[in-house]
Amino acid sequence: MGTDDPGAARQRALTLGCAPLVDAMARRHGHRAHLPALTSPRPPRVLFGPVVTLAFLPTRAGLAGGEPAFGAVAADALRDGPSGAVLVLGSGGYPFVSHAGGTKLAQAAAAGAAGLLCDGLLRDFGELVALDLPVWCRGEAVRWGGDSVMPFAANAPVEAFGVTVVPGDWVYVDSAGGVVVPGTDLDAVLDEAERVVAEDVAELERLRGR
């Protein structure tokens, strides 16, 4: 998953914050990797961890086997996932409808999710606070969205906020925004981000005449 010490990687990421990580990704990779500022039931909670995914599709009747259940697909995504896995929900083309609420995210937490990133709306923010998970999304919904989107596939690549996200990536989100880092490159991106910070500090000191 790109690092031999996830605990140390988390501490480095928390110390750096979002912007240096975004700058480091821009230096090392040519593709879009940054996420916009998002909404959370508990904004101080930083989300950081290895990714598993749950892809939504537009709701359709008549599928063989019926419409998949959120809990079952989430459990499939998390079953063989790494410790501290972040469940990333692709919107299925409907980013401004509800994709889950308190009950469904309680199912994800019970299956092993350590956090959640949703390219859509979520319901029941009060219940999500009680789950004690870092959760980030586009905003809160009051209406059920199952007539627009349905959970469909575990651990398929998804598009989230204009970024391609694949299982094994790492994701960082705080109140400023977020970034998706290829799993094989996490340590190198953290190293580069630390160089970004050091360069900024040196430039500030030069400007202050030190």
Side-chain angles (χ1 to χ4, degrees), residues 84-109:
V86 172
L87 182 62
V88 177
L89 309 184
S91 72
Y94 288 85
F96 297 106
V97 302
S98 175
H99 287 67
T103 300
K104 290 179 178 178
L105 295 196
Q107 293 171 347

Side-chain angles (χ1 to χ4, degrees), residues 47-65:
L47 178 66
F48 178 74
V51 166
V52 297
T53 65
L54 194 164
F56 279 75
L57 287 178
T59 298
R60 175 174 167 173
L63 294 176

Side-chain angles (χ1 to χ4, degrees), residues 16-130:
L16 287 160
C18 189
L21 293 169
V22 171
D23 289 348
M25 276 296 297
R27 289 184 179 187
R28 292 188 56 81
H29 298 276
H31 63 266
R32 179 185 172 101
H34 66 279
L35 310 175
L38 303 175
T39 299
S40 173
R42 295 181 65 184
R45 295 293 301 276
V46 174
L47 178 66
F48 178 74
V51 166
V52 297
T53 65
L54 194 164
F56 279 75
L57 287 178
T59 298
R60 175 174 167 173
L63 294 176
E67 182 180 327
F70 179 94
V73 182
D76 284 346
L78 290 155
R79 183 168 293 114
D80 298 317
S83 176
V86 172
L87 182 62
V88 177
L89 309 184
S91 72
Y94 288 85
F96 297 106
V97 302
S98 175
H99 287 67
T103 300
K104 290 179 178 178
L105 295 196
Q107 293 171 347
L116 182 125
L117 172 65
C118 177
D119 183 18
L121 306 181
L122 297 172
R123 299 176 74 187
D124 310 324
F125 269 28
E127 295 178 29
L128 302 188
V129 169

